[in-house]
Amino acid sequence: MQRESPRVMRGGTPDGVRAVARAMVPTVPRGVVGAALRGTSRGAALRATCRVAARALAAGLAALVLLSGCGGGPVRPEEPAGGAGGAGAGGAGAGPRAEPALAEAGAGRGRGETVILVAAAASLQDALQDAAEAFRRVHPAIRVQFTFGSSGALAAQVEAGAPVDLFVAAGRDPVDRLVRRGLADPGAVRVVAGNRLVLVVPAGRPMPGRSVTGRVGAGRPTGGGTGSGAGTGPGAGSGQGAGSGAGMAPEAGLWMNLAGDGIRRIALGDPAHVPAGRYGRQVLEHLGLWARVQPKLVLDQDVRQVLQHVAAGAADAGIVYATDAATAKGVAVVAEAPPGSHEPIVYPLVVPRTAVHPEAARALADWLAGAEGQAIFARYGFLPPP
């Protein structure tokens, strides 16, 4: 097969190398490559692009290794109208809102104002966008740009060299992953919020075996969270409320219906990289349901996509965070996860060592952990840090 020499365009960047960087790892946004090349000579542009391509190649090969072991897994249905949740929620590398945020953050640096890029779990989208507006009123010289998605995918972006100034994950594992790779200081990790896990069904469609007693998502927050389960380690109370009497918890009855014939598809964030999916798997394993519901599972990219599938009727039930269910339309909450059925849900944040504006990012982190930031989290139903 004849080899073509790569064409050189856009300031001397070889299209072939750029294509490799983009093709091997979809989670490396175009803005990352562009930022690496902006304002450089042809030779420097080639060297910078090759560095990005090398990181992309390594991450791409790792992704291929992971995919090679996933044969025969749960089905992924076609997307409902409106596209994937990752795209609609500004998902990392998956939708139109993620890459412009990365590109704009890179372009805005050096224009007089400090533009910081925050990579955050999709379940934090509404709360953090409100928080950024309030933070800007106190710090007018700092502008916040976001990229939202699954915490695992966002951690991969940081590992691949994305110019992330602050990383906020839904779970400890993605942050611990950066710490293990030397990309974050373990002493700088802070938990800023907690959450609860709930079972949802399409609004107006009773769950087979029981009637729907939960409320329908109203589209806006209505108040603070409920429940204050204590404990910080695996298996401790997870904020679902008090009560741990002998025998099966009352909430477990509705969850057991997932194994029945009336439930054909169950939407769940992919436990491989979505913390909500990992917590959901823990609940199903705790109840002895994991093996029984495997053929029904629909693995989604984040909690917003789970909600879209349930609301559209593409899934008969879904497992999501209580805060997302509260602001979603078209779904009804039927049960919370039984107490002690999963690890406490926490949202740790950290400023990566590769941050372009670490001081500005730390200012935002301090603000989110302070009284004003905590008030916004509570208004959206998040629990206080354990």
Side-chain angles (χ1 to χ4, degrees):
M1 183 170 54
Q2 184 178 2
R3 285 181 70 181
E4 289 186 2
S5 299
R7 291 180 296 114
V8 178
M9 298 176 60
R10 285 179 281 185
T13 304
D15 278 1
V17 177
R18 184 185 296 269
V20 170
R22 290 293 302 149
M24 290 305 299
V25 181
T27 56
V28 179
R30 295 184 181 90
V32 175
V33 179
L37 304 175
R38 198 171 290 113
T40 61
S41 65
R42 172 176 295 196
L46 176 57
R47 289 191 297 273
T49 308
C50 288
R51 285 195 296 270
V52 173
R55 288 196 300 267
L57 179 60
L61 290 174
L64 290 175
V65 170
L66 289 174
L67 289 173
S68 67
C70 296
V75 297
R76 287 177 171 83
E78 294 183 3
E79 303 300 334
R97 296 184 57 183
E99 291 179 3
L102 287 161
E104 186 174 352
R109 291 163 175 155
R111 287 199 311 231
E113 67 179 357
T114 300
V115 181
I116 61 175
L117 177 63
V118 177
S123 56
L124 291 168
Q125 181 171 353
D126 296 333
L128 282 184
Q129 286 178 332
D130 272 8
E133 293 179 7
F135 175 78
R136 182 68 186 257
R137 291 193 288 269
V138 181
H139 298 272
I142 301 176
R143 184 156 59 92
V144 182
Q145 289 291 324
F146 291 103
T147 179
F148 294 100
S150 74
S151 298
L154 294 173
Q157 285 197 2
V158 176
E159 292 171 332
V164 172
D165 294 301
L166 184 64
F167 178 43
V168 193
R172 296 185 185 274
D173 283 357
V175 173
D176 290 344
R177 174 172 147 190
L178 299 185
V179 170
R180 287 192 300 270
R181 297 203 58 179
L183 296 172
D185 178 5
V189 178
R190 284 185 284 180
V191 174
V192 292
N195 212 332
R196 295 167 292 131
L197 202 68
V198 297
L199 181 64
V200 296
V201 298
R205 184 191 299 180
M207 188 170 186
R210 298 289 181 92
S211 61
V212 173
T213 57
R215 54 180 169 72
V216 176
R220 291 295 297 171
T222 56
T226 60
S228 56
T232 57
S238 52
Q240 275 84 5
S244 58
M248 184 176 292
E251 297 93 337
L254 284 164
W255 290 81
M256 299 305 293
N257 289 336
L258 294 176
D261 294 338
I263 300 293
R264 295 172 301 146
R265 285 182 172 176
I266 304 166
L268 177 73
D270 190 340
H273 63 89
V274 182
R278 184 169 58 85
Y279 295 128
R281 174 172 180 165
Q282 290 174 1
V283 174
L284 296 173
E285 289 178 336
H286 177 82
L287 297 173
L289 293 172
W290 178 250
R292 298 167 65 185
V293 302
Q294 279 278 308
K296 304 181 180 186
L297 291 181
V298 177
L299 299 185
D300 287 327
Q301 296 305 303
D302 56 42
V303 290
R304 297 298 175 97
Q305 193 175 49
V306 171
L307 288 166
Q308 282 194 341
H309 280 143
V310 175
D316 303 303
I319 302 174
V320 297
Y321 295 125
T323 51
D324 287 292
T327 59
K329 297 179 180 179
V331 303
V333 176
V334 294
E336 291 185 2
S341 61
H342 61 82
E343 297 173 1
I345 299 172
V346 294
Y347 291 83
L349 58 74
V350 71
V351 177
R353 284 180 169 147
T354 53
V356 178
H357 293 295
E359 292 302 321
R362 278 190 280 271
L364 175 59
D366 291 341
W367 189 90
L368 290 172
E372 292 178 274
Q374 290 298 297
I376 291 177
F377 283 130
R379 192 164 73 244
Y380 279 87
F382 289 92
L383 301 175

